[in-house]
Amino acid sequence: MGLMRIISLSGFFAVALAGGASAEGPLSAEEFEAYTTGKTLTYSALGEDFGIEEYLEDRRVRWSFLDGECQDGAWYPAGEMICFVYDDLPGTQCWTFYRETGGLRALFMNDPEQTELYETRTSDAPMLCLGPKIGV
């Protein structure tokens, strides 16, 4: 469910602030790493909270759809995109990140017609992960 939900949701990060491409262009891997490392960012889609990601040292990440279940993974640069792989999800997800007045804006697979995400909150606190579901 996780990967397909991320890929198929159009408008992943939406906030009240108007988007629009950054005049400065996409963040480089170094800029993205400097901005995110040690932070936990909440992302919204179509004005509603969608997910949260904790950015750890060595380009490691932890993602959740705000349901307490977390996916560990890592990110790496691919041209102008930042690509994510998660331990328990198939495939790779690549995004182009822009720094804007309200925080980060991300375009999925560098395609403005696809998913667009906006950072809505930033914290220095780690995420709360409840652990795997047990039973049927």
Side-chain angles (χ1 to χ4, degrees), residues 22-100:
S22 171
E24 297 177 19
L27 291 178
S28 67
E30 293 77 19
E31 292 168 324
F32 180 79
E33 186 170 31
Y35 181 85
T36 60
T37 301
K39 295 180 183 174
T40 299
L41 305 180
T42 301
Y43 296 104
S44 294
L46 303 172
E48 295 183 27
D49 284 346
F50 182 80
I52 187 168
E53 190 144 48
E54 183 177 359
Y55 296 89
L56 307 164
E57 295 294 327
D58 299 321
R59 298 183 174 178
R60 293 177 302 115
V61 295
R62 183 169 294 128
W63 167 262
S64 175
F65 284 107
L66 303 170
D67 58 4
E69 292 185 42
C70 296
Q71 293 290 326
D72 290 322
W75 67 268
Y76 63 91
E80 291 187 332
M81 292 186 279
I82 304 295
C83 296
F84 296 83
V85 291
Y86 297 92
D87 295 348
D88 297 325
L89 297 174
T92 301
Q93 302 172 45
C94 296
W95 302 82
T96 304
F97 285 87
Y98 297 87
R99 180 94 185 258
E100 298 188 346

Side-chain angles (χ1 to χ4, degrees), residues 2-9 12 50 63 65 93 95 115:
L3 179 64
M4 300 314 278
R5 185 172 174 192
I6 291 172
I7 291 173
S8 65
L9 182 68
F12 189 66
F50 182 80
W63 167 262
F65 284 107
Q93 302 172 45
W95 302 82
T115 303

Side-chain angles (χ1 to χ4, degrees), residues 101-123:
T101 305
L104 294 181
R105 178 173 65 95
L107 295 177
F108 183 64
M109 301 294 283
N110 202 25
D111 182 351
E113 297 300 318
Q114 294 297 316
T115 303
E116 186 173 36
L117 308 172
Y118 289 88
E119 171 191 348
T120 56
R121 286 188 300 281
T122 304
S123 172

